[in-house]
């Protein structure tokens, strides 16, 4: 089975971010950049299918040169190949532009499954996966929490969490999947894996997509409105209950 | 028409979902600013009852697209039908709820139409005739302002509970027009085996005005009954931080935060939750926050409007009784 996993490099969510004084974006100085959390789950899903069916797991990313570090994380987990698409236009691109660049590259690769994270923790957009499915002409299943591929590798049975329930969906391959964190527990890169990943060549190509001109663009980034700490009360249970009820009635007006 | 604002309506058992009404309210205001009409588009098997319900909430026109192949929902059928309708009518803006469905098909639709798309919108404004959205980014450590290009169809996937459900005006009616959009079974490649409903007596998280949420401080699955009882009394939904999910006390769809849901209810009541940044990523947009925690130094108190230092096991049962009383002796 030929599996392509899309990867993005994002700021580590554990650390605070610094917004540039002019609000044009975040300051990357000293920022710890890592593989997007959900892409680890996507890579894990790919590796498990490879273990089951044989084949290859190819990682693909579009972004600046530094993105290679995130690709090496996936190689260290056990992916076979990694490719990076760079290009001067990418920085101005929006999510649809990014999906177009990825689609052009993936079309040239054999692919039975394309797997993405359900979103990336920087923009939180969750656009690239389904947009990529459309551009590749593939059926999709998004935010999946369970995945089984039948023995002949022709269909995938997935579970999707929907409001108030779980949708059980059959998707014919080739297909595009985006994955939820409850799908699996990503493995840690092994030491030999890390050594091997260091030596591995990452194929780099330059996107010549001229249409990346964005249809939407980020004009300003500000910190979220600071919430004022309110009243903190230490009291016995009866007093506490009276305070909460009064708050629900008078301030929040939900009682 | 070129200045119209559309809402793609989600519905269940012949009723529009709350998020669709919220969006319809906003669509009316934006249509006014843009000089167009508020249009509700209702795809489904038999949507006549849903269509009739939308006029009172502000729709000027309701388009229906009825086809048995539209239920159960699939991305393929939905994209085909909504896409063809948009191609034909060319509205300036389309509002779609940020739900399991909306997040699934809206980006696919945008890619098909080459339309601009912004997801997770927490506000949408017309500013000097340009359309501007704000959205939480970087796990809510920043709020981004995004400007749409001025050409073509624009799609906004809007978070639940950021706009109020408008007051229904029973005298208001909308013109209902049936649209015929060809849909072929062969275009639907995925097959829904079933949608297993998870039986719950409380409101879904994304529809709730009030959320009561429990963390590791609840100590075990059996104690979530305390939250269920309070939620029932309040008409609230129950959520959780991540540890109760990871420990298997509650299902995955309870989780609120960076790797869970983003919610912005009127009131978020955090019980036995410390207030880690990854949890705040999902709930700090709530309008009012109340926290119960026995640790006076818990970070959640830094953003709670009302913080109670105390033992949740003592407070919750009494609170449930008090809420029942305040609601006028609601029967169980
Ligand atoms: C990549 C990543 C993603 C994550 N995503 C999420 C996410 O989406 N959502 C999320 O919630 N977390 C997430 N986390 C985990 C997060 O970092 C915290 O570990 C988690 O939020 C802590 O949950 P908690 O507040 O319930 O538990 P704790 O931090 O253990 O807090 C328990 C609290 O309960 C209080 N308490 C105990 N007993 C009582 C009592 N009897 N009465 C009153 N109070 C009591 C304690 O004082 C304490 O403050 C993520 C972590 C990582 C690394």
């Amino acid at each position: 089975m030929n599996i392509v996993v899309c990867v993005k490099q994002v700021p580590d969510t554990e650390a605070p971010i610094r917004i540039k004084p002019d609000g044009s974006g975040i300051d990357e100085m000293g920022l710890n950049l890592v593989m997007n959390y959900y892409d680890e789950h996507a890579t894990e899903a790919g590796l498990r299918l490879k273990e089951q069916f044989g084949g290859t797991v190819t990682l693909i990313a579009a972004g600046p040169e530094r993105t290679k570090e995130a690709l090496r994380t996936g190689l260290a987990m056990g992916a076979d190949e990694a490719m990076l698409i760079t290009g001067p236009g990418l920085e101005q691109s929006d999510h649809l532009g990014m999906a177009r660049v990825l689609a052009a590259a993936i079309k040239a690769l054999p692919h039975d499954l394309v797997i993405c994270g359900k979103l990336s923790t920087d923009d939180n957009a969750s656009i690239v996966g389904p947009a990529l499915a459309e551009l590749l002409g593939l059926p999709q299943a998004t935010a999946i929490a369970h995945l089984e591929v039948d023995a002949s590798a022709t269909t995938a049975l997935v579970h999707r969490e929907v409001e108030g329930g779980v949708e059980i969906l059959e998707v014919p391959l080739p297909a595009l999947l985006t994955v939820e964190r409850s799908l699996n527990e990503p493995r840690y890169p092994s030491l030999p894996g890390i050594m091997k990943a260091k030596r591995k060549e990452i194929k780099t190509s330059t996107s010549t997509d001229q249409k990346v001109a964005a249809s939407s663009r980020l004009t300003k980034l500000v910190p979220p409105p600071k919430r004022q700490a309110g009243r903190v009360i230490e009291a016995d249970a009866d007093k506490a209950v009276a305070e909460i009820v009064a708050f629900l009635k008078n301030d929040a007006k939900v009682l | 028409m070129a200045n119209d604002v559309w809402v793609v309506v989600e519905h269940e058992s012949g009723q529009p979902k709350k998020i669709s009404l919220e969006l319809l309210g906003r669509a009316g205001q934006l249509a006014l600013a843009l000089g167009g009409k508020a249009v509700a588009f209702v795809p489904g098997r038999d949507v006549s009852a849903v269509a009739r319900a939308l006029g009172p909430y502000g729709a000027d026109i309701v388009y229906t697209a009825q086809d048995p192949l539209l239920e159960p929902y699939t991305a393929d059928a939905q994209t085909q039908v909504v896409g063809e309708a948009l191609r034909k009518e060319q509205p300036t803006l389309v509002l779609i709820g940020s739900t399991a469905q909306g997040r699934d098909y809206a980006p696919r639709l945008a890619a098909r139409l080459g339309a601009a798309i912004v997801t997770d919108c927490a506000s949408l404004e017309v500013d000097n005739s340009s359309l501007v959205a704000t959205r939480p980014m970087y796990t809510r450590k920043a709020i981004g302002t995004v400007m749409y290009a001025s050409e073509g169809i624009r799609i906004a996937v809007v978070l639940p509970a950021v706009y109020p459900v408008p007051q229904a005006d029973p005298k208001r009616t909308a013109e209902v027009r049936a649209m015929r959009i060809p849909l072929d079974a062969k275009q639907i490649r995925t097959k829904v085996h079933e949608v297993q409903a998870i039986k719950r007596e409380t409101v879904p998280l994304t529809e709730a005005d009030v959320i009561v949420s429990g963390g590791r401080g609840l100590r075990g699955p059996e104690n979530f009954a305390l939250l269920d009882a309070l939620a029932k009394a309040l008409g609230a939904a129950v959520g959780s931080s991540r540890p109760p999910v990871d420990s298997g006390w509650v299902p995955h769809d309870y989780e609120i935060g960076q790797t869970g849901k983003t919610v912005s209810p009127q009131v978020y009541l955090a019980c036995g939750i410390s207030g880690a940044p990854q949890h705040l990523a999902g709930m700090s947009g709530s309008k009012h926050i109340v926290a119960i925690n026995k640790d006076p130094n818990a970070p959640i108190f830094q953003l709670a409007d009302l913080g109670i230092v105390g033992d949740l096991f003592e407070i919750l049962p009494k609170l449930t009784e008090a809420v029942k009383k305040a609601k006028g002796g609601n029967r169980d």
Side-chain angles (χ1 to χ4, degrees):
Chain A
M1 188 180 295
N2 296 302
I3 299 153
V4 175
V5 176
C6 301
V7 168
K8 190 176 186 187
Q9 189 188 38
V10 299
D12 185 354
T13 58
E14 298 273 327
I17 54 165
R18 278 197 314 274
I19 295 171
K20 286 186 193 159
D22 66 356
S24 63
I26 63 165
D27 187 351
E28 285 198 7
M29 269 278 279
L31 198 63
N32 186 26
L33 294 158
V34 296
M35 184 194 235
N36 175 41
Y37 175 83
Y38 290 98
D39 301 345
E40 292 181 21
H41 291 270
T43 305
E44 179 65 33
L47 293 173
R48 289 189 190 186
L49 289 171
K50 180 192 158 177
E51 282 155 10
Q52 197 182 345
F53 293 97
T56 56
V57 174
T58 304
L59 308 174
I60 184 164
E65 193 64 24
R66 58 167 166 73
T67 309
K68 282 186 175 171
E69 284 313 304
L71 289 169
R72 286 202 198 282
T73 304
L75 288 171
M77 285 172 74
D80 301 282
E81 304 284 338
M83 342 182 1
L84 175 67
I85 309 158
T86 57
L90 287 183
E91 262 176 58
Q92 314 310 324
S93 167
D94 60 5
H95 299 96
L96 286 183
M98 213 45 110
R100 213 161 34 230
V101 167
L102 288 168
I106 294 171
K107 271 184 186 151
L109 302 171
H111 54 274
D112 301 301
L113 266 180
V114 180
I115 313 180
C116 305
K118 79 159 181 181
L119 55 81
S120 62
T121 55
D122 51 356
D123 314 334
N124 226 69
S126 57
I127 292 173
V128 169
L132 190 53
E134 171 68 16
L135 298 173
L136 291 170
L138 297 176
Q140 72 183 52
T142 56
I144 63 167
H146 176 85
L147 168 65
E148 271 168 68
V149 175
D150 72 330
S152 58
T154 51
T155 56
L157 192 71
V158 306
H159 292 189
R160 274 168 38 77
E161 182 196 299
V162 298
E163 287 83 15
V166 176
E167 179 187 282
I168 300 172
L169 189 69
E170 188 182 305
V171 192
L173 305 192
L176 182 136
L177 308 173
T178 80
V179 308
E180 180 59 87
R181 83 168 177 98
S182 46
L183 178 66
N184 56 38
E185 202 53 58
R187 68 196 64 189
Y188 287 103
S190 65
L191 203 57
I194 294 170
M195 299 313 289
K196 229 168 103 188
K198 275 198 180 134
R199 289 192 304 268
K200 196 118 201 172
E201 191 209 346
I202 293 177
K203 286 178 226 132
T204 307
S205 61
T206 308
S207 166
T208 51
D209 193 330
Q210 296 301 316
K211 291 194 301 182
V212 283
S215 52
S216 68
R217 74 194 157 81
L218 183 71
T219 55
K220 200 172 68 182
L221 204 61
V222 296
K226 251 228 157 327
R227 288 194 83 104
Q228 294 296 326
R231 290 179 304 140
V232 179
I233 294 162
E234 275 194 78
D236 62 43
D238 291 317
K239 176 89 198 322
V241 166
E243 288 280 353
I244 298 172
V245 169
F247 182 88
L248 294 177
K249 252 192 203 148
N250 306 329
D251 295 67
K253 302 191 169 46
V254 293
L255 261 187
Chain B
M1 289 288 295
N3 291 327
D4 290 349
V5 179
W6 280 38
V7 175
V8 183
V9 174
E10 253 186 73
H11 50 89
E12 197 175 17
S13 325
Q15 296 285 329
K17 287 200 178 167
K18 181 166 171 252
I19 174 124
S20 299
L21 300 179
E22 293 166 6
L23 299 192
L24 205 47
R26 189 60 185 157
Q29 295 161 341
L30 291 170
L32 207 61
L34 292 162
K37 291 199 156 75
V39 177
F41 180 75
V42 197
R45 175 191 288 271
D46 172 6
V47 297
S48 44
V50 183
R52 276 196 307 275
L54 297 169
Y57 289 98
D60 298 313
I61 301 172
V62 178
Y63 284 115
T64 60
Q66 300 197 105
D67 195 314
L69 292 172
L70 283 163
E71 288 180 32
Y73 162 86
T74 57
D76 279 340
Q78 185 86 355
T79 307
Q80 168 65 17
V81 166
V82 180
E84 287 310 305
L86 293 177
R87 269 201 186 119
K88 190 156 162 269
E89 295 296 324
Q90 298 286 326
T92 185
L93 174 63
V94 184
L95 309 186
I96 294 173
S98 184
T99 60
Q101 282 186 19
R103 285 189 300 272
D104 188 52
Y105 77 86
R108 183 159 199 133
L109 181 67
R112 182 164 304 180
L113 300 172
I117 178 168
V118 180
T119 54
D120 266 10
C121 298
S123 76
L124 268 177
E125 305 286 341
V126 177
D127 180 13
N128 275 328
S129 83
S130 11
L131 189 67
V132 178
T134 61
R135 56 193 306 278
M137 294 173 67
Y138 296 100
T139 59
R140 222 180 246 283
K141 291 176 196 136
I143 306 291
T145 301
V146 180
M147 197 185 276
Y148 282 90
S150 49
E151 300 291 305
I153 299 173
R154 297 168 285 191
I155 297 174
V157 181
V158 183
L159 291 170
V162 297
Y163 291 109
V165 173
Q167 195 72 45
D169 174 358
K171 289 195 292 291
R172 211 174 169 287
T173 54
E175 181 192 344
V176 178
R177 299 181 196 164
M179 262 196 191
R180 299 247 158 274
I181 300 169
L183 183 62
D184 187 332
K186 283 204 273 308
Q187 289 169 311
I188 305 171
R189 293 164 290 182
T190 58
K191 189 169 153 215
V192 179
H193 283 211
E194 63 176 314
V195 180
Q196 288 175 345
I198 300 175
K199 276 251 171 298
R200 265 178 216 148
E201 293 189 29
T202 47
V203 191
L205 272 179
T206 45
E207 304 232 330
D209 286 331
V210 181
I211 293 174
V212 296
S213 193
R216 205 196 312 263
L218 257 83
R219 285 199 211 132
E222 64 286 359
N223 295 325
F224 268 81
L226 295 174
L227 294 187
D228 288 340
L230 176 59
K232 241 175 113 182
L234 279 168
V238 182
S240 78
S241 64
R242 180 153 149 174
V245 168
D246 284 348
S247 311
W249 302 347
V250 294
H252 275 284
D253 65 346
Y254 272 53
E255 184 182 332
I256 291 164
Q258 181 184 316
T259 47
K261 291 195 167 58
T262 299
V263 296
S264 44
Q266 278 299 323
V267 181
Y268 189 87
L269 175 60
C271 306
I273 293 176
S274 61
Q278 294 92 350
H279 187 72
L280 305 188
M283 49 63 75
S284 60
S286 305
K287 276 125 209 142
H288 301 277
I289 297 172
V290 180
I292 304 175
N293 197 302
K294 66 178 185 190
D295 174 8
N297 297 317
I300 189 85
F301 288 137
Q302 283 163 27
L303 73 163
D305 301 291
L306 176 63
I308 304 287
V309 182
D311 185 343
L312 65 91
F313 294 102
E314 279 178 39
I315 294 168
L316 285 180
K318 291 191 173 179
L319 181 56
T320 304
E321 287 315 310
V323 165
K324 279 186 189 159
K325 214 178 268 163
K327 284 229 165 177
N330 267 4
R331 281 149 317 223
D332 216 86

